[in-house]
Amino acid sequence: MKTVSNCVEDILITQPYLEEALSRNIINFSALAIELTEPISKMLKKDVKPGAIMMALRRYNPPTTLSNSVKMKKVMQNLGDITVRSNLTDFTVKNSDTIIDNHAKILERINQEPKLFYTFTRGIHESNLIVSSSLDGFVKECLGNETFLASQTGLSAICVNLPEDNSKIAGLYYHFFKRLAWEGIVLYEVISTTNEFTILVEDEFVDKAFAAIKKVKA
């Protein structure tokens, strides 16, 4: 049978920012309990008093194991270099029967200039290509018969090298997203490989985003 505590946990798990604010005691328990009275009453299909909800909030413990917390701290202390690359353009095109052949032409050019920035991601319905802006004209020429869904210039990439055991740590990326969200930084794209995490932001956000990620590393 579902209880008030179960309902509180269900709500907080879906709202990690709220959950963290509670754990840091920077939120008004009484005011939050009043706000949650209606949704929890609907979940239990009966009237619930704010006092019962406030008691459940005070007793709530986030479902984070000690071992994962220790691993998280270790990973954050061992984050690698943070690299910034500017003057980038992001292209998004609709997948087609010719996209791979046309993309191969771009790869040939990239191989001739290894210092250029380049990433390619193929999704179910669309593909994304991020390159140094110096290649804008060449990319548009190679993909001339493709359907462009979006194109954005004036972007910068911030890449963080992650420790090798990062894939075993629950909630790792959340720490980055949380800090960036709190700083009001809009992410244009997110790219991830096994040991690298890269965000793409508009140039106006790059300094602020770099500082935010440095704080996560610290």
Side-chain angles (χ1 to χ4, degrees):
M1 184 176 185
K2 209 171 185 66
T3 65
V4 172
S5 295
N6 296 146
C7 293
V8 166
E9 182 175 350
D10 289 345
I11 291 173
L12 294 181
I13 286 176
T14 62
Q15 300 184 50
Y17 296 152
L18 179 58
E19 182 182 61
E20 180 157 346
L22 278 173
S23 67
R24 296 173 60 188
N25 293 317
I26 57 176
I27 199 166
N28 187 307
F29 283 83
S30 178
L32 179 59
I34 293 174
E35 184 174 329
L36 295 180
T37 298
E38 183 177 348
I40 290 180
S41 293
K42 289 181 178 179
M43 292 170 73
L44 295 177
K45 297 181 180 180
K46 67 178 182 180
D47 291 336
V48 178
K49 295 184 179 299
I53 298 174
M54 186 164 65
M55 185 177 296
L57 288 169
R58 292 190 180 281
R59 292 177 176 175
Y60 176 73
N61 289 314
T64 301
T65 64
L66 178 60
S67 60
N68 190 73
S69 179
V70 172
K71 290 179 181 178
M72 179 70 73
K73 184 176 181 180
K74 182 179 179 181
V75 167
M76 289 303 171
Q77 291 175 340
N78 290 286
L79 290 177
D81 294 337
I82 302 175
T83 305
V84 178
R85 294 291 301 270
S86 56
N87 298 319
L88 306 178
T89 301
D90 183 296
F91 296 99
T92 303
V93 297
K94 185 177 180 180
N95 286 343
S96 70
D97 295 336
T98 57
I99 184 68
I100 296 300
D101 290 337
N102 288 330
H103 179 236
K105 301 173 186 177
I106 299 173
L107 284 177
E108 290 180 7
R109 176 68 177 273
I110 297 295
N111 286 334
Q112 297 172 13
E113 301 181 58
K115 292 185 178 180
L116 292 172
F117 185 92
Y118 157 83
T119 69
F120 178 78
T121 305
R122 181 181 173 89
I124 297 175
H125 303 294
E126 61 187 32
S127 293
N128 180 259
L129 177 68
I130 303 170
V131 296
S132 297
S133 296
S134 60
L135 287 181
D136 284 5
F138 180 72
V139 170
K140 291 177 180 177
E141 179 181 342
C142 291
L143 303 180
N145 64 331
E146 305 297 340
T147 301
F148 282 82
L149 302 178
S151 177
Q152 178 67 45
T153 59
L155 300 172
S156 293
I158 302 176
C159 178
V160 182
N161 286 338
L162 304 173
E164 291 185 1
D165 59 350
N166 73 86
S167 60
K168 300 178 182 179
I169 309 300
L172 174 61
Y173 288 169
Y174 163 69
H175 285 268
F176 292 105
F177 293 138
K178 174 190 65 177
R179 172 59 66 174
L180 293 166
W182 279 1
E183 298 287 349
I185 298 165
V186 179
L187 301 182
Y188 192 84
E189 294 281 3
V190 177
I191 310 156
S192 174
T193 58
T194 301
N195 298 312
E196 289 184 9
F197 171 68
T198 302
I199 63 169
L200 200 68
V201 298
E202 295 184 46
D203 287 342
E204 63 180 288
F205 293 113
V206 65
D207 291 337
K208 195 173 181 181
F210 181 82
I213 291 179
K214 285 278 288 184
K215 291 178 183 177
V216 173
K217 183 176 180 180

